[in-house]
Every structure is written in C-alpha cells, then in structure tokens.
Amino acid sequence: MRRHAYLLAGTIAAVVDVGPSWANAVYVSNEKDNTVTVVDSKTMEVTKTIEVGQRPRGITISHDGKHLYVCASDDDTVEIIDTATHQIIGTLPSGPDPELFVLSPDGKTLYVANEDDNLVTVIDVDRKSVISEIPVGVEPEGMGISPDGKTMVNTSETTNMAHFIDTSTHEIVANVLVDSRPRFAEFKPDGSQVWISAEIGGTISVIDNASREVVKKITFEIQGLRSEAIQPVGVRITADGKKAYVALGPANRVAVVNTETYEVEKYILVGQRVWQLAFTPDGKNLISTNGLSNDITFIDTESDEPIKSVTVGALPWGVTVAPD
C-alpha cells in the first residue's frame, strides 16, 4: 500500500508540474543559451526551462495551445514542442535562417521569413510540407497577417519595404516604402491598418490596408535620450483597437500610442533592450522581452504600469502566451 501511495503521489506531482504549460503559460525564446523559458502568467514565476535548437528567435503557439513553434535560426528549422510534455516532437521545413513567422487565423499555414535567402516560406502545418516560396526584399523579418487571413505582410530590413502578399495566390500585390530597417508588422483587429516599426528610422508607419498607402508616421521623443537610442521593434495592438504598444529597443521603454489620435500617451520603463511583446489572453497584461537584462516585464494594461520583472534565459527575444 505504501508503494502505491508513493506512486500516486508521484503521479499527482507530475500532473501539477505540467499544469502551468497550458492556459496560463508564457513562453520566452532565449537566443543566446538556446532555451525556451516557461513562466506562469498568474504567479509570474518560472516553471520550466526547455532546451531547444540554436539561436531561437521567433516563437508562436497553435490556436488550440497544444503545440509551440520555435524558429531555431542557426539550425535552419522550426521546432515543434508539445506543450503538455515540453518535448520537441518534430520540425517544420522552414528554409534557411528563419527569423520570424506568423500563423494563419485558421491555424493551418505558417508563413516564415528566411532572412538569408530573401524568401517567405509558406508551410502546411499538418502535412509538414512547403507549399510555396515567395521572393521578397533583402533581409526579410517582420511578419503580420490580416484578421481575415487574406493578406500577409512581410517587412524587408535592407529594402525598407512592406510587401503585401495575397495568401490565395502567394503573389506580392503591393510594395510600400517605409523607414530604415523595418522589423515588425501588426494589423489592427479590424484589419483596416497595418503598423510597421522601423528600428533605425525610429518610426511607426501606419499603412491603410485598402489603399496600401502610408497614412501616418509616428515618432518618439524621450527626455534625456538621443533619438538614435529610440529604436522601435515589436508592436502589439489591443483587442479593442484603441491602444498600440511599441517596444523601443535600447530606450528600455514601451510606448503607449492612442490609435485614433496617433499620440504617444506614455512611456513605460521596462528592462534593457526591449524586443518583443505579447498580451495575455484576457488582455489585462502585456509582456515584454528585455534582451540585455535577461528578463521579461509584466505590464498592467489598465494602468500602463509595470507589475513585475522575471529573470529568464540569456538574451530573451520572442514571447508568446498560451490561449485560454
């Protein structure tokens, strides 16, 4: 009986251990130490460290929360992790040097930026096969997709363009010139606009999705900082479309922008070299990855104040949160 009791206790412990990997899990890719850190979004504590491939950057999760996808950039592959076991269970044929990707709204297609080959690779997730390779500009990175799944946008860092791609034909239908070194593309929830960050240009280009024209350039000024230290990278827009959050790189801040007036309402101080951002499913918290301070910061989206910073791995880059 005692032996059975120990086995039962071990089973319960195992179940408890994997619990945080579901609805409340935050996954952070750490590009220097080749790991993914798992953080419970409610307790804001690290629950697990997963060994992955070399130089993990882009990271996202399947819509059902069962699979995590990680760009192992230096291994030229996308790794698939089972979120229940934290084990790598397969790979996707990503093409060379995958940097960032975006999953289609139906969860069936993954669009991957291949920086070294100037391509976007289109992958059938279920079949684990390449559907198409789309030539784009030089050093593609930023990836965004419209809520209806009809338009995908890729940004090319050296070409300084946002490429609008029809997802039914995999053809470029528009090229929009933006400022220097565009790094990220984020659609508004209603699909009316896409916001493009320019790291060296120091701006956000707001592009109308119907006309494919830049309708606004947003700039940033922080007292005491030189303009070259303010480098926009990750962008996230709230579910109601009213606020945009912009990670400002070595400025160590996240900007809060009113999407109707395009005015910067606040700068939130976080860790060093803030890269990417992700919301929790309820939208109450925003999480930033802070590369040089090796941590992430939880931000309250009602007060726009930082709540807590959590130490993760070396050079945290990407972040995604499990759905409810």
Side-chain angles (χ1 to χ4, degrees), residues 44 269-271 288 290 293 295-298 306-311:
M44 302 180 192
L269 185 63
V270 291
S288 71
N290 313 314
S293 51
D295 59 12
I296 62 174
T297 300
F298 285 82
I307 305 168
K308 181 180 180 180
S309 289
V310 180
T311 299

Side-chain angles (χ1 to χ4, degrees), residues 75-115:
D75 287 339
D76 297 335
T77 194
V78 171
E79 294 179 329
I80 308 169
I81 297 171
D82 186 316
T83 58
T85 65
H86 297 138
Q87 299 298 311
I88 296 172
I89 58 171
T91 60
L92 296 173
S94 69
D97 192 21
E99 289 276 326
L100 259 177
F101 45 26
V102 65
L103 190 62
S104 62
D106 64 9
K108 296 179 179 180
T109 309
L110 194 67
Y111 300 90
V112 185
N114 300 123
E115 189 170 47

Side-chain angles (χ1 to χ4, degrees), residues 26 41 278-287 298 301 321-322 324:
V26 177
S41 65
F279 290 111
T280 52
D282 59 12
K284 292 181 179 180
N285 290 333
L286 178 74
I287 300 143
F298 285 82
T301 56
V321 184
D324 283 334

Side-chain angles (χ1 to χ4, degrees), residues 1-146:
M1 285 293 293
R2 182 176 298 175
R3 180 173 181 272
H4 289 302
Y6 285 143
L7 288 173
L8 180 60
T11 302
I12 292 172
V15 171
V16 171
D17 180 64
V18 299
S21 68
W22 270 98
N24 303 319
V26 177
Y27 299 95
V28 181
S29 60
N30 306 300
E31 66 170 314
K32 189 173 183 180
D33 63 8
N34 303 329
T35 63
V36 168
T37 302
V38 187
V39 179
D40 188 300
S41 65
K42 290 184 178 178
T43 64
M44 302 180 192
E45 300 289 344
V46 173
T47 62
K48 184 77 175 180
T49 299
I50 307 169
E51 301 287 335
V52 296
Q54 298 182 75
R55 194 167 167 258
R57 303 199 92 187
I59 187 168
T60 194
I61 195 165
S62 60
H63 299 324
D64 61 10
K66 293 182 178 179
H67 296 133
L68 192 69
Y69 303 109
V70 182
C71 284
S73 298
D74 285 355
D75 287 339
D76 297 335
T77 194
V78 171
E79 294 179 329
I80 308 169
I81 297 171
D82 186 316
T83 58
T85 65
H86 297 138
Q87 299 298 311
I88 296 172
I89 58 171
T91 60
L92 296 173
S94 69
D97 192 21
E99 289 276 326
L100 259 177
F101 45 26
V102 65
L103 190 62
S104 62
D106 64 9
K108 296 179 179 180
T109 309
L110 194 67
Y111 300 90
V112 185
N114 300 123
E115 189 170 47
D116 288 352
D117 267 19
N118 307 329
L119 294 173
V120 167
T121 299
V122 185
I123 302 171
D124 184 309
V125 173
D126 292 334
R127 295 183 179 182
K128 300 180 182 178
S129 61
V130 174
I131 300 171
S132 178
E133 292 181 332
I134 307 168
V136 290
V138 180
E139 290 191 288
E141 179 162 330
M143 302 290 287
I145 194 161
S146 59

